[in-house]
Amino acid sequence: MVATTPAPPIRNARIALFVVFGLNGMLAALWIVHIPAVTERTGVSHSLLGMLILLSAGFAIIGMQAAGPLADRFGSRILTATAATLLSLALIGPGLATSPVTLAIALAALGIGMGMLDVSMNAQAVHIERAYARPIMSAFHAFFSLGGLAGSLAGAAAQRAHWSIHTTLAVSAAVGLALVAICTPRLLPHVRATPAGESATPPTEDDAAGLDAAMDGQPIGSEEGLSARRDRAAVGAELETATRADFSRKVLVLGVIAFAVLMSEGVAADWSALQLRDRLGVDVGSAALAYVAFSTTMTAGRLVADRVSGKIGRVAVVRWGTALGAFGFGLIAVSGWLPLTLLGWALVGIGLSGAVPQVFTAAGNLGSATAATDMSRVVGLGYLGLLAGPAIIGWLTKLVPLTAAMAVPLTALLLCAWAAGAVRTRTES
């Protein structure tokens, strides 16, 4: 089948959302690179900072859960613009904070903005991908990574130029607001979440069809007609309940996959350098190469994952990608040689790169009228995994060596490979 070229408004929406994803990554990175300056300015200890970051993460999850129903009601375009505006303005807060209390308030606002934007921009991405009729989700996530890189470099450059923290964050917020104003009109407007070719209504069963036939020809006020209609309504309610239960189970499975994949990603981000140093005793500079290998292949993989998904299908991307990630963790666990360990972290990066975008796409294409709400639950569970993964490894290191603790993400990814069929949508064979 020959692929059709999307109309200009669809292409413009895709470009605009690339910018939004990049903006999200950039703003997050600008906050991260200024954490040392913020802690010095507010007099916050490392332990208290950890609690405040956890507080921000909690508010991010609240923002995610609020964003789903709001996007279903008002549309992902409006909510994406609102969330991006909130996040841009909230970035100023940490730069103005002068005490632990004001920093806590600032990080709560920052967390809500990040959480709402994560859900709303992914819901808009599903909408655009549906209009394209081919996989494009992974590229959006690649732009988030590229935006994070740009934000890190910009923040480092501002610090080297001796810009004050509130000046840097205020300028960044202004850039964010300008980009939101430019991109919002180009995003796609609100439509019902039901994918083309799929129905959100319950399936027709033989008993329902039989009751429909029984109603035909019956007088409206007759006892037989009323009885048939009551029975038909009862069957319809049961079918609708069963359909909602199917959606709920699918959302749960997708959420568990997102939890496991993002848990593994969090482990790689936070523990890769420490694992390499602990296992091989290398210097700090060499140990940092572990995260470089992981993040480089992660970003590169997201840039090509859409084409791969278009050729082999989203199920295969998740199944073989998570299996490759598990193999990478296994290689890391047994390797005693620096190049082989770096290869292991590189395989983890490329294996995980395409999985989460496929899961989010599947969540947004369940055929439910509450697609954004479904996605918010999946994204929320994934975010919990991102937070929980590093903590779980930290706890385990009290019992086993750090390298042995890599068995946790390895096992989780093997389970993801086994459950990969959950990302198949009804339009796929």
Side-chain angles (χ1 to χ4, degrees), residues 4-14 131-132 188:
T4 58
T5 302
I10 307 299
R11 297 199 301 270
N12 291 339
R14 184 188 186 190
Y132 260 76
L188 296 187

Side-chain angles (χ1 to χ4, degrees), residues 343-360:
L343 174 61
W345 286 115
L347 292 177
V348 171
I350 200 159
L352 299 184
S353 61
V356 165
Q358 310 309 317
V359 174
F360 288 175

Side-chain angles (χ1 to χ4, degrees), residues 44 77 383:
V44 171
R77 178 169 72 176
Y383 192 67

Side-chain angles (χ1 to χ4, degrees), residues 210-228:
L211 287 168
D212 287 338
M215 287 191 292
D216 290 340
Q218 295 287 353
I220 294 178
S222 69
E223 183 177 347
E224 293 84 356
L226 291 174
S227 176

Side-chain angles (χ1 to χ4, degrees), residues 4-46:
T4 58
T5 302
I10 307 299
R11 297 199 301 270
N12 291 339
R14 184 188 186 190
I15 294 170
L17 196 61
F18 279 153
V19 175
V20 173
F21 268 80
L23 175 64
N24 192 3
M26 182 189 76
L27 296 179
L30 282 164
W31 148 242
I32 291 171
V33 299
H34 283 94
I35 286 178
V38 170
T39 56
E40 182 178 348
R41 177 184 173 88
T42 57
V44 171
S45 66
H46 289 176

